[in-house]
Amino acid sequence: MHAELDTSTRITFPAGGTRTRSQVLAVLPYDDGRSGVICRETSFHPVDHTWPDHPADHGTLVLGDRELPVVDCVIGAAPRSGGALLTGADIPARRGDDGWLWFVVHVVPESGADLVGQPVECVVDPARRVGLSAGHTACELVSLAINEATSDFWTKVDRRDVRGVPDFDAAALSLSRIGVNGSVDRYRLGKSLRRKGFRADDLRAALPDVARTVQDRLREWVRADAAVRVDVGGALVEDRRTWVCELPDGAVRVPCGGTHVESTGQLGQVGVTLDLTEDGSELTMVTTVCGSRPEDLRVHS
Ligand SMILES: [Zn+2]
């Protein structure tokens, strides 16, 4: 491993950072002739290897008058005791596990061995960042809203969410994907959910009402323009991060590694659709927002 990589990457994205002056510590071969650039500090949000719901920031690494496009950004990890740096799905540990150093790896489409040691500015594409942030904030809110909209379907309570509502999202979620200005959540309505006490068979008839309740709750939270922030346990990429939203009925705190808008009002119009498969085994919730604008993003340097 490179001797310079003796500490994990420092990150500025939890506070909304999109431009960070830094230094290139190492450049590694990546796939297809591309390279992975590791900087001391960065504003780029990498896709997480254990919970890859939030896609990577894109943007540019600026080195003097040279600009390298960042076409992907992933988590890297290396054993503290020494050994190869691994990326993405090859990492056999969870982010934050002791015994590992954690890195943000900027994927650039060329070899950049000559960059090591140079000063660099990490510049995130602000439009993509704000779109993904809006998609993620909406995704957190809509999961709370669907819990509320389905709370009458439980014959016994399995577990409750941060608002004290029966947690359908935690009990049934099989896939969650955030995109620019939206998200898709998929729920499995199988035997195990029924065994936990969820009356899945009654959902089809009530689906329009459930969708309306989710939509109404989202509109209410957007109108309230509740403050949103990410609390951090430290400055390193592996430190614990928590999404905090000051909803009108009380602040909610959810462990979350992603980026977010600064208030629910930035989401503007939010649309939610619910689709149940013919056999009733899977529910898909598609959320779209269309109020977020790059100029709403606070830009830090
Ligand atoms: Zn999250």
Side-chain angles (χ1 to χ4, degrees):
M1 198 176 74
H2 297 252
E4 302 79 10
L5 299 180
D6 55 356
T7 161
S8 296
T9 308
R10 299 172 68 86
I11 51 167
T12 62
F13 61 78
T18 57
R19 302 179 76 98
T20 299
R21 288 186 192 283
S22 188
Q23 185 192 18
V24 177
L25 294 184
V27 180
L28 318 149
Y30 201 67
D31 60 358
D32 296 335
R34 304 188 292 178
S35 302
V37 179
I38 298 178
C39 307
R40 190 178 300 285
E41 189 171 21
T42 189
S43 31
F44 280 77
H45 173 268
V47 65
D48 193 85
H49 66 296
T50 39
W51 188 248
D53 61 337
H54 187 132
D57 280 332
H58 292 173
T60 315
L61 296 181
V62 181
L63 300 105
D65 45 16
R66 189 164 165 197
E67 295 197 356
L68 293 177
V70 177
V71 295
D72 197 3
C73 191
V74 299
I75 285 277
R80 282 180 190 274
S81 55
L85 188 143
L86 305 171
T87 55
D90 292 339
I91 303 172
R94 292 176 68 87
R95 180 164 53 85
D97 277 3
D98 283 348
W100 293 78
L101 291 165
W102 298 89
F103 305 102
V104 175
V105 180
H106 309 78
V107 179
V108 301
E110 55 188 277
S111 123
D114 55 323
L115 306 177
V116 175
Q118 289 196 34
V120 61
E121 189 171 16
C122 305
V123 182
V124 171
D125 172 358
R128 178 176 167 87
R129 161 66 69 76
V130 78
L132 290 172
S133 298
H136 202 144
T137 301
C139 184
E140 296 289 353
L141 291 173
V142 86
S143 64
L144 297 174
I146 196 163
N147 288 347
E148 189 174 321
T150 53
S151 61
D152 289 344
F153 287 76
W154 293 94
T155 54
K156 58 183 181 193
V157 177
D158 180 52
R159 57 186 274 190
R160 295 179 186 275
D161 70 12
V162 290
R163 298 172 67 232
V165 176
D167 201 339
F168 170 77
D169 184 77
L173 188 69
S174 62
L175 179 129
S176 181
R177 282 291 178 273
I178 289 149
V180 172
N181 292 330
S183 64
V184 176
D185 291 284
R186 202 154 281 157
Y187 298 100
R188 191 169 296 128
L189 310 177
K191 280 199 194 98
S192 81
L193 188 69
R194 288 172 166 80
R195 264 199 305 273
K196 285 175 186 166
F198 191 81
R199 294 186 291 109
D201 295 335
D202 298 341
L203 192 58
R204 187 178 302 281
L207 208 56
D209 285 341
V210 170
R212 202 169 308 119
T213 304
V214 173
Q215 181 82 60
D216 288 350
R217 182 58 79 232
L218 258 292
R219 286 206 180 116
E220 193 181 302
W221 287 339
V222 169
R223 251 197 324 266
D225 197 20
V228 175
R229 68 176 190 275
V230 176
D231 282 353
V232 296
L236 304 177
V237 67
E238 73 265 35
D239 289 326
R240 174 182 261 280
R241 303 193 284 281
T242 307
W243 176 74
V244 184
C245 183
E246 309 273 352
L247 291 178
D249 58 353
V252 291
R253 304 175 60 84
V254 177
C256 176
T259 62
H260 290 275
V261 293
E262 292 182 329
S263 77
T264 56
Q266 281 179 260
L267 302 179
Q269 297 278 345
V270 181
V272 183
T273 62
L274 292 177
D275 269 304
L276 194 57
T277 52
E278 203 131 302
D279 64 358
S281 67
E282 196 173 74
L283 179 71
T284 301
M285 176 164 67
V286 176
T287 307
T288 51
V289 306
C290 54
S292 51
R293 301 164 298 162
E295 56 267 34
D296 285 334
L297 186 68
R298 193 178 65 207
V299 173
H300 302 246
S301 28

